[in-house]
Amino acid sequence: MLYPLPVVMVSMADAEGRYNIITIAWAGTVCTNPSMVSISVRPERYSYPILKETGEFVVNLTTKKLAYATDFCGVKSGREVDKFSVLGLTPAAADQVKAPLIQESPVNIECRVKEILPLGSHHLFLAQVTAVHADQQYMDEKRKFHLEKAEPIVYSHGTYYACGEPVGSFGYSVKKSGR
C-alpha cells in the first residue's frame, strides 16, 4: 500500500529500430552513486522482450498535459498500435542509448539495464542512468529545475492525480524560526 506512485512513460526501441512506450507505475530511484533506477514489468507485456534484448530504455516523466498519453500507453499494446504516431508524441534522439526520448516530457532519463530480477508477477529491471535531459523552460537563472511548473502526476488505485501545493521542504522541521 505504498501510494501514490510516480507514473512514468518508458520509451524503447527494438532491434529493428521500432519505437514503443509503456506506462509504468512501479518505478523508482535506487541509488545515487552510481545513479540507478528500477522499473518493474510483467514478462507477458509486449515491451518486456524488447527491454530484455536491448537492455536500454528512457524514463520520461509525466505531466498533467501528458495524462491522456500516459493512460493510453498503459492500456494499448505496442503490438497493435504505434503509440508515438497515434498520440502525436515526438521521438527525439538520446545521447547514450538507442531508445528515443519523448520530447514532450519535462525530464528524460536514459538508462542501461544492469540486472533483471524475476520476482514473481513482475521482473525488476535495475538500470544505471547514463544521461538526464531537462526541459529548459523549467530551469531558473540559478539552474534549479522546477518540476512543479510542469504539473507532474501520480497514480493511485486506478486514478491519476495532479500533485498539489508544497507543504514543506527538506529540513524545514529542524530549522530555527526567526524568534
Side-chain angles (χ1 to χ4, degrees):
M1 295 302 297
L2 294 176
Y3 285 100
L5 300 165
V7 60
V8 298
M9 291 189 291
V10 173
S11 52
M12 65 205 71
D14 67 15
E16 287 78 44
R18 290 182 299 256
Y19 298 156
N20 190 44
I21 307 167
I22 183 174
T23 298
I24 302 281
W26 292 352
T29 301
V30 176
C31 187
T32 302
N33 190 9
S35 296
M36 297 185 80
V37 299
S38 69
I39 61 171
S40 293
V41 182
R42 290 191 322 256
E44 57 272 10
R45 294 294 295 259
Y46 173 73
S47 299
Y48 182 90
I50 298 170
L51 293 167
K52 188 173 181 179
E53 291 166 17
T54 65
E56 298 180 342
F57 60 88
V58 177
V59 173
N60 303 276
L61 298 191
T62 56
T63 65
K64 203 169 169 182
K65 286 182 184 175
L66 290 170
Y68 180 88
T70 301
D71 184 64
F72 187 91
C73 290
V75 296
K76 283 300 217 180
S77 174
R79 284 183 191 98
E80 303 161 1
V81 64
D82 176 344
K83 297 174 191 180
F84 275 99
S85 294
V86 169
L87 296 167
L89 295 174
T90 311
D95 293 339
Q96 303 291 320
V97 300
K98 291 180 181 154
L101 313 177
I102 298 174
Q103 188 171 309
E104 291 78 8
S105 175
V107 176
N108 318 97
I109 305 167
E110 297 182 41
C111 303
R112 279 210 178 89
V113 175
K114 291 296 180 190
E115 191 173 349
I116 302 170
L117 301 168
L119 300 174
S121 64
H122 289 69
H123 291 188
L124 183 103
F125 287 77
L126 187 59
Q128 187 159 357
V129 173
T130 60
V132 177
H133 306 268
D135 189 327
Q136 293 303 303
Q137 73 175 310
Y138 303 112
M139 302 295 283
D140 67 19
E141 63 283 346
K142 294 180 182 175
R143 306 286 303 145
K144 180 181 178 186
F145 183 76
H146 292 275
L147 181 62
E148 72 281 0
K149 291 181 181 178
E151 299 181 297
I153 59 174
V154 294
Y155 180 81
S156 181
H157 297 284
T159 303
Y160 303 95
Y161 293 93
C163 293
E165 67 180 70
V167 295
S169 61
F170 181 77
Y172 85 102
S173 65
V174 296
K175 288 183 181 174
K176 294 185 183 197
S177 64
R179 294 183 230 184

